[in-house]
């Protein structure tokens, strides 16, 4: 006989949650991007974060994020439409305001509206061209990744398309931080199989995670532009990790040039990740952007092929599970950082 869970309606975890409950609890307080700001205009947008289906919509009060569910008869609110600052359900036209409160039941306009009839909303921030939310955070910005260059007039903002990766967010993040793979995975794009050595580099703790400072002769120009750097130029790459799943890479180009890349993967589920990668730079601003988008796409899809093939699919946080080399200093510190957040020791998303 089926056992009915009396508390089923109070279950705080998303339906079909693919994370362990402990992992979901540890990750949910953090901010994640769920949409491009420019995609949230006059129609509601569906998104999924940590298996939670969400609707994202814009009113005169800004952007709202809520569970994508009308509690009347279970229809996704992302199927609805917007009119006069109200999100209107597709099925029976209930109206909801920016805070998720139901303001009109068209079939019974005089009846009082039960307080329970509201959309569950979450804190929202717009930053770096993205809409960010947190499923369990208090709304403070303390753990929102900080990339002040984005709003600095000396920098050009560049917003590539997102990339959907069939892999765990932890594997994607670690791939972004890995410097020993440049020579092998990005041989065509910018690195060189004949220059595979990783010089010693430093990793230090920061309030939000860790910083790795890596100097090498590996150019960050695409192959066809590598003549633009002096032959003996030493490239400094500074990685700032915002635990658990965001990082900013600042590449120091010749003549004071800076390229800042925010690696902001959004965990759709334990096995699916939507990668956002806003970037900004203080040089080459008169150059066309198409080659930048193409170069960015090439690099992230080269990484994608590896990350989607790795197994176990989750990032093993028990350091005895995989073998580490000197060049893995960043990823060792990263795995320890995730473990300290309370994520599962053996395999986690
Ligand atoms: S299901 Fe949304 S109004 Fe009925
Ligand atoms: Fe890579």
């Amino acid at each position: 006989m089926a056992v009915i869970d009396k508390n089923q309606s109070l279950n705080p975890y998303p339906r079909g949650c693919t994370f362990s409950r402990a992992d979901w609890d540890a990750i949910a307080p953090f901010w994640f991007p769920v949409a491009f700001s420019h995609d949230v205009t006059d129609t509601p947008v569906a998104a999924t974060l940590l298996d939670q289906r969400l609707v994202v919509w814009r009113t005169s009060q800004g952007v709202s994020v809520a569970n994508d569910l009308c509690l009347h008869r279970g229809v996704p609110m992302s199927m609805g439409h917007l009119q006069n600052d109200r999100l209107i359900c597709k099925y029976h036209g209930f109206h909801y305001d920016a805070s998720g409160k139901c303001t009109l039941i068209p079939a019974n306009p005089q009846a009082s509206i039960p307080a329970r009839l509201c959309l569950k909303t979450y804190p929202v921030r717009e930053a770096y061209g993205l809409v960010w939310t947190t499923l369990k955070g208090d709304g403070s910005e303390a753990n929102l990744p900080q990339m002040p260059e984005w709003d600095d007039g000396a920098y050009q903002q560049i917003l590539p398309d997102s990339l959907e990766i069939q892999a765990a967010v932890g594997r994607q993040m670690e791939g972004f931080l890995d410097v020993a793979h440049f020579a092998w995975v990005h041989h065509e794009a910018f690195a060189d199989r004949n220059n595979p050595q990783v010089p010693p580099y430093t990793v230090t703790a920061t309030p939000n995670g860790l910083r790795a400072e890596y100097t090498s002769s590996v150019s960050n120009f695409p192959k066809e532009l590598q003549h633009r750097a002096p032959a003996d130029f030493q490239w400094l790459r500074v990685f700032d990790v915002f635990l658990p799943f965001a990082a900013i890479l600042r590449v120091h180009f010749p003549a004071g040039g800076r390229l800042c890349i925010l690696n902001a993967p959004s965990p759709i589920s334990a096995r699916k990740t939507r990668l956002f990668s806003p970037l900004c730079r203080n040089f080459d601003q008169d150059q066309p952007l198409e080659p930048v988008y193409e170069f960015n796409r090439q690099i992230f899809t080269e990484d994608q092929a590896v990350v989607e093939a790795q197994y176990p699919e989750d990032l093993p946080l028990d350091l005895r599970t995989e073998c580490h080399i000197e060049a893995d200093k960043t990823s060792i510190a990263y795995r320890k950082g995730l473990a300290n957040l309370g994520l599962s020791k053996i395999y986690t998303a």
Side-chain angles (χ1 to χ4, degrees), residues 94-249:
F94 288 20
H95 287 39
Y96 296 91
D97 69 12
S99 71
K101 186 171 168 303
C102 181
T103 57
L104 179 70
I105 298 174
N108 301 120
Q110 309 306 340
S112 69
I113 299 172
R116 215 167 60 78
L117 188 55
C118 60
L119 308 177
K120 179 172 171 40
T121 55
Y122 300 98
V124 179
R125 289 286 180 282
E126 286 191 87
Y128 319 123
L130 309 174
V131 175
W132 298 71
T133 195
T134 167
L135 298 182
K136 264 185 47 185
D138 59 9
S140 97
E141 291 188 4
N143 61 46
L144 195 69
Q146 295 303 317
M147 186 165 71
E149 293 91 338
W150 182 264
D151 296 308
D152 180 333
Y155 281 76
Q156 176 184 33
Q157 304 171 344
I158 304 171
L159 206 49
D161 281 343
S162 63
L163 187 65
E164 199 162 299
I165 301 171
Q166 305 300 319
V169 64
R171 288 286 194 188
Q172 192 285 325
M173 261 293 290
E174 191 178 81
F176 183 77
L177 303 174
D178 184 293
V179 291
H181 80 289
F182 291 168
W184 305 101
V185 176
H186 303 306
H187 170 76
E188 307 279 335
F190 65 89
D192 185 351
R193 245 173 241 158
N194 298 311
N195 181 18
Q197 205 170 325
V198 174
Y201 62 93
T202 61
V203 178
T204 49
T206 61
N208 289 91
L210 59 100
R211 169 173 293 179
E213 298 183 66
Y214 174 59
T215 302
S216 76
S217 58
V218 178
S219 174
N220 212 84
F221 279 122
K223 282 279 164 82
E224 62 276 15
L225 296 180
Q226 294 199 340
H227 58 274
R228 290 180 56 185
D232 56 350
F233 188 74
Q234 289 295 298
W235 292 82
L236 171 62
R237 290 174 172 86
V238 181
F239 296 86
D240 273 301
V241 173
F242 295 80
L243 288 168
F245 302 124
I248 296 170
L249 167 59

Side-chain angles (χ1 to χ4, degrees), residues 263-281:
N263 186 76
S266 187
I268 294 172
S269 73
R271 291 287 176 277
K272 200 189 282 188
T273 299
R274 184 180 182 191
L275 175 64
F276 295 93
S277 56
L279 50 118
C280 57
R281 65 180 181 183

Side-chain angles (χ1 to χ4, degrees), residues 8-15 24 28 34 44-57 63-80 87-90 94 96-102 116-124 133-137 268:
Q8 206 167 31
S9 61
L10 301 176
N11 179 1
Y13 299 96
R15 191 161 175 269
W24 197 93
V34 289
V45 171
T48 302
L49 173 62
L50 298 172
D51 293 304
Q52 178 61 56
R53 291 170 64 176
L54 300 171
V55 57
V56 186
W57 76 102
V63 176
S64 300
V65 175
N67 283 355
D68 193 12
L69 179 68
C70 179
L71 282 183
H72 177 225
R73 288 294 179 268
V75 167
M77 291 304 300
S78 55
M79 291 176 73
L87 178 58
I88 301 174
C89 182
K90 165 94 176 166
F94 288 20
Y96 296 91
D97 69 12
S99 71
K101 186 171 168 303
C102 181
R116 215 167 60 78
L117 188 55
C118 60
L119 308 177
K120 179 172 171 40
T121 55
Y122 300 98
V124 179
T133 195
T134 167
L135 298 182
K136 264 185 47 185
I268 294 172

